[in-house]
Amino acid sequence: MVKKVSKRRDEVIKNLKEVFRFIWNHKMGRLGIIILVLLLIMALFPQLFTKYTPEWTSNEIFEPASWEHPCGLDHQGKDIWTQIVYGTRISLSVGFIAAILTILVGALIGTIAGYYGGVLDDFLMFISDSIMMLPSLLLLLVIASLFSSIWNIWYTIIVIALISWPSTARMVRAQTLQLKHRLYVQAAIALGASNRRIIFKHILPSIIPLLFARAAILIAGFIVTVASLTFLGLGDPNNPDWGYVMYTANKNMMIIVMKGMWQWIIVPGIMISLAVIAFVCIGEALEDYLNPKLRER
Amino acid sequence: MGRSLFSYIAIKLLHKIITLIFVILLIYALLRLAPGTPFDQYLYQGKITEEQYERLLEEWGYKDNFITGAIKVLYGMFTFNLFKMKSPVYNKPIIELISVRLPYTLGLVTAAYFFGTMLGMLLGLYCAKNRGTLKESIILWLVLGIRALPVFWLGMVLLYFLAFKAGLFPYLTASELKPQNVFHYMIDWLWHSLLPIIVLSKIYAVSYLLTIRNMTTEEYTSDYVTALRAFGLEENYIVERHVLRNIMPPIITMMAIDIGFLFGGAVVTETVFNYPGMGTLIYEAMWNKDYPVVLASFYIIAIAVIVAITIAEITYAYLDPRIRGE
């Protein structure tokens, strides 16, 4: 038993190494990994990048950029670069957690719909069609602003997952329908395996790699979605992310123009773009890995 | 054949109407669950008494029970009473508010959509034709960079450098327009709307470029194109008569679905530029808890999406008889 587990673990590590090697040798994948590692260092050790803390305030406000303060000081006398550095952790983790939740909900609903079929499938797909029909950012905006008095970052994550699952569910459902007719699944059904066993042992394992590629793309999208939301003033001031820095910048646009503090606008946007590029690149590389037909081209 | 196309459309339409009802009721439920009313601030500021506050709530239907309210909304949907209702914040019929704002958004969105998709399609075809060359990889790496730029950031940067610093564009809202004649009005509108159009069209240009490129490349590498080439047909003829025709149906669907989502992108863009369209109307209405306006705006958006998707489905079914059989 123990031997079996360790053997399986070795196999997983071997596979992971292979995937990693493929991404590293992939032009876009390598770029993605390099940027992501840099961002992760910034998220985990913000002290390395700035000597101030987000709570630090100066008596000066709206001080233009200098060597001491690379992006200047904001309306409260806080160091803007420090806020950006500390915001990395929040932006990345919100995108990450939201993507994981979305994938979990999507995979669950997709396999159930695809596997059981019938009325249940129709009902779930009807709900998913209805949600897909609305612009998701607008829906998120409505929900966030209606509940703005009690809103915090966790609600953002949960609501994103609740309105973003349909596309993942559609993909998983299509895969499940295909897998259901494979011989080994039919054989398992004939042998009397329970539905739960078939879903978890035979169907989900074949879909999981696809979900990883999907997760990377979703994270990239969610980082921008959350930043847009906070930019529109629906952020959590206790957990300021990159979008929040741009929200305060937009509020003080006139003073920024007068004092020429363009770094306040430019730098947080570049951070968002870098994060998006990293995840999009890794996602593309993973997709190429999974789809050998594309690799030949 | 005529009958099957007809029944196909009828079933699809029924499905759409049920979806529409579901969506609007969902929004209504959310609105009812949310705390706060538009009159709260008057009460806090001491402009009205507790008694007047209660009476306002009664008057504007904030005290209806859930089912009665839902029935009112449903009734309003089908008789279009939803638009004749008054907004408690502006104390004006919604139709008046929307009829001022909608043209701005429609103009912005149409221009951005047209500009973005055309640019994306042309560049996508260009990439597919030059696949594997340096030109293509330069375009693709550029696209990768541009795709990652957030819409609101692009808006702020353009506003800062082109409007404030260089003074090339106005930073006042487009509602400052004072038309003298149609031509002057058009020029003025374009001058006020060019930056938002550029920002909004970016999304479409990028996604269409990538999709068209991938689909066309797939067609190019397929056997039938190789066969056509072997027959000695000209490259342009192959593209126009065969490749484009094969990739058109999915593109039509994609275009239709995108039309609805333009509104979502428009909210962010309009807020950055302070553009007086539906986006800013919805945004303000949400902050003011102006439920009738939110509901009516979502109704318009949902109808726009449904009409677009239905047209796409019908076109698709017409072009490709196979899917009608499903």
Side-chain angles (χ1 to χ4, degrees):
Chain A
M1 186 70 194
V2 175
K3 208 177 167 190
K4 208 176 157 190
V5 169
S6 72
K7 203 177 155 196
R8 187 143 186 204
R9 196 179 57 205
D10 289 346
E11 208 172 283
V12 168
I13 291 172
K14 211 182 111 201
N15 277 338
L16 277 178
K17 270 188 184 161
E18 194 198 310
V19 173
F20 185 79
R21 196 170 299 128
F22 179 84
I23 298 179
W24 186 249
N25 289 327
H26 190 282
K27 236 188 294 173
M28 288 172 87
R30 186 179 298 191
L31 178 73
I33 287 183
I34 293 172
I35 300 176
L36 185 61
V37 167
L38 285 177
L39 288 174
L40 283 179
I41 294 174
M42 194 179 264
L44 293 173
F45 311 104
Q47 301 88 346
L48 293 177
F49 294 84
T50 169
K51 54 184 174 184
Y52 303 103
T53 61
E55 286 79 30
W56 179 88
T57 52
S58 152
N59 291 329
E60 301 285 321
I61 57 166
F62 296 119
E63 198 186 282
S66 61
W67 284 110
E68 191 65 17
H69 304 290
C71 296
L73 299 176
D74 71 359
H75 58 293
Q76 294 172 317
K78 288 184 176 176
D79 184 55
I80 294 164
W81 171 243
T82 307
Q83 289 185 41
I84 295 168
V85 170
Y86 278 84
T88 312
R89 188 182 294 176
I90 292 154
S91 286
L92 288 188
S93 47
V94 171
F96 187 77
I97 300 170
I100 297 292
L101 260 183
T102 307
I103 297 264
L104 284 180
V105 177
L108 190 72
I109 293 179
T111 35
I112 290 175
Y115 185 78
Y116 291 101
V119 184
L120 191 63
D121 183 22
D122 288 342
F123 176 71
L124 289 174
M125 285 306 110
F126 171 72
I127 304 267
S128 113
D129 274 352
S130 309
I131 295 177
M132 274 217 235
M133 201 162 265
L134 285 171
S136 53
L137 182 63
L138 208 53
L139 197 57
L140 190 58
L141 202 60
V142 170
I143 300 173
S145 63
L146 289 178
F147 298 91
S148 56
S149 48
I150 51 167
W151 199 253
N152 69 37
I153 209 89
W154 287 102
Y155 290 104
T156 312
I157 292 172
I158 291 167
V159 175
I160 286 183
L162 285 180
I163 58 183
S164 310
W165 59 264
S167 58
T168 309
R170 289 238 154 228
M171 188 196 88
V172 172
R173 177 178 171 270
Q175 287 289 321
T176 310
L177 284 177
Q178 265 185 22
L179 289 170
K180 213 169 105 178
H181 298 291
R182 292 275 169 82
L183 274 179
Y184 69 93
V185 177
Q186 291 294 329
I189 294 173
L191 286 171
S194 70
N195 287 335
R196 217 172 74 194
R197 192 183 156 82
I198 292 171
I199 290 177
F200 283 101
K201 277 269 167 185
H202 299 291
I203 292 180
L204 271 180
S206 330
I207 301 176
I208 283 174
L210 273 176
L211 293 180
F212 273 102
R214 180 141 197 97
I217 304 288
L218 282 179
I219 294 173
F222 289 163
I223 287 175
V224 177
T225 306
V226 174
S228 311
L229 206 62
T230 36
F231 172 76
L232 291 172
L234 294 160
D236 183 350
N238 299 320
N239 296 304
D241 68 333
W242 292 327
Y244 190 78
V245 179
M246 302 189 65
Y247 165 69
T248 55
N250 198 38
K251 284 261 154 186
N252 301 300
M253 192 71 168
M254 281 301 168
I255 295 167
I256 293 181
V257 172
M258 268 162 22
K259 299 214 169 185
M261 296 171 73
W262 51 268
Q263 296 90 344
W264 193 350
I265 301 173
I266 299 280
V267 179
I270 290 176
M271 298 300 285
I272 295 174
S273 310
L274 282 178
V276 173
I277 289 175
F279 285 108
V280 167
C281 283
I282 292 174
E284 292 271 329
L286 273 173
E287 235 159 55
D288 284 356
Y289 175 79
L290 293 169
N291 200 345
K293 219 177 101 188
L294 286 172
R295 246 188 279 177
E296 287 158 18
R297 260 193 232 127
Chain B
M1 182 210 139
R3 187 156 171 263
S4 73
L5 182 62
F6 179 75
S7 60
Y8 172 81
I9 293 170
I11 290 171
K12 286 279 175 188
L13 266 181
L14 189 70
H15 193 192
K16 294 287 167 352
I17 291 170
I18 299 174
T19 312
L20 185 65
I21 295 173
F22 174 78
V23 164
I24 297 296
L25 286 182
L26 180 77
I27 304 275
Y28 171 73
L30 281 172
L31 294 172
R32 287 305 297 264
L33 278 172
T37 68
F39 316 110
D40 286 359
Q41 44 174 337
Y42 301 138
L43 188 66
Y44 294 139
Q45 290 163 359
K47 283 182 187 164
I48 51 172
T49 61
E50 194 82 38
E51 208 174 294
Q52 282 170 313
Y53 176 74
E54 293 293 322
R55 215 174 51 229
L56 277 173
L57 288 189
E58 196 85 46
E59 203 176 303
W60 289 100
Y62 283 82
K63 284 199 151 181
D64 289 355
N65 79 34
F66 190 84
I67 306 288
T68 325
I71 291 170
K72 266 190 195 170
V73 169
L74 278 181
Y75 177 75
M77 272 176 73
F78 288 102
T79 54
F80 290 94
N81 263 350
L82 218 53
F83 301 111
K84 287 180 201 141
M85 273 156 70
K86 274 186 169 183
S87 145
V89 176
Y90 299 93
N91 200 11
K92 269 187 196 168
I94 294 168
I95 186 114
E96 265 178 45
L97 293 170
I98 289 180
S99 59
V100 175
R101 306 292 197 104
L102 195 59
Y104 280 104
T105 297
L106 283 181
L108 174 69
V109 156
T110 318
Y113 189 64
F114 186 75
F115 186 58
T117 49
M118 283 301 137
L119 192 70
M121 282 188 190
L122 288 178
L123 281 175
L125 283 175
Y126 182 81
C127 277
K129 267 189 181 172
N130 295 292
R131 63 193 174 284
T133 63
L134 182 67
K135 277 184 217 157
E136 193 207 8
S137 43
I138 290 174
I139 294 182
L140 288 183
W141 282 100
L142 269 179
V143 165
L144 179 67
I146 294 172
R147 178 185 179 183
L149 303 174
V151 172
F152 58 92
W153 182 75
L154 206 59
M156 277 170 82
V157 170
L158 290 181
L159 208 56
Y160 179 85
F161 287 104
L162 294 182
F164 285 108
K165 285 288 165 186
L168 291 173
F169 291 97
Y171 48 85
L172 294 169
T173 62
S175 57
E176 306 286 313
L177 295 178
K178 286 190 186 67
Q180 286 160 1
N181 57 47
V182 176
F183 184 69
H184 177 259
Y185 183 81
M186 291 291 288
I187 298 288
D188 208 27
W189 176 81
L190 198 63
W191 188 49
H192 277 88
S193 308
L194 197 60
L195 292 183
I197 290 173
I198 292 173
V199 168
L200 203 54
S201 58
K202 169 224 135 186
I203 315 172
Y204 300 97
V206 170
S207 71
Y208 277 79
L209 192 158
L210 294 175
T211 317
I212 300 264
R213 173 195 164 258
N214 290 345
M215 282 165 56
T216 318
T217 309
E218 205 153 301
E219 292 287 317
Y220 267 131
T221 44
S222 63
D223 294 337
Y224 82 92
V225 172
T226 317
L228 289 175
R229 281 212 190 96
F231 285 135
L233 290 175
E234 257 186 60
E235 198 69 25
N236 282 340
Y237 179 82
I238 298 177
V239 173
E240 278 164 26
R241 295 301 296 268
H242 296 277
V243 174
L244 272 184
R245 189 169 285 191
N246 276 341
I247 64 173
M248 245 16 232
I251 296 286
I252 291 173
T253 324
M254 191 175 148
M255 290 175 96
I257 291 171
D258 279 345
I259 288 172
F261 289 87
L262 274 165
F263 286 99
V267 178
V268 182
T269 316
E270 286 181 6
T271 314
V272 178
F273 289 98
N274 218 344
Y275 198 81
M278 288 294 286
T280 40
L281 180 70
I282 298 177
Y283 185 65
E284 285 159 19
M286 285 182 316
W287 280 112
N288 296 329
K289 317 265 177 195
D290 191 346
Y291 302 160
V293 172
V294 176
L295 216 52
S297 310
F298 260 90
Y299 189 40
I300 290 189
I301 293 172
I303 289 181
V305 177
I306 285 175
V307 168
I309 291 179
T310 312
I311 291 174
E313 272 170 358
I314 294 170
T315 322
Y316 210 110
Y318 182 74
L319 288 176
D320 189 352
R322 272 173 304 174
I323 62 159
R324 259 177 271 157
E326 273 191 5

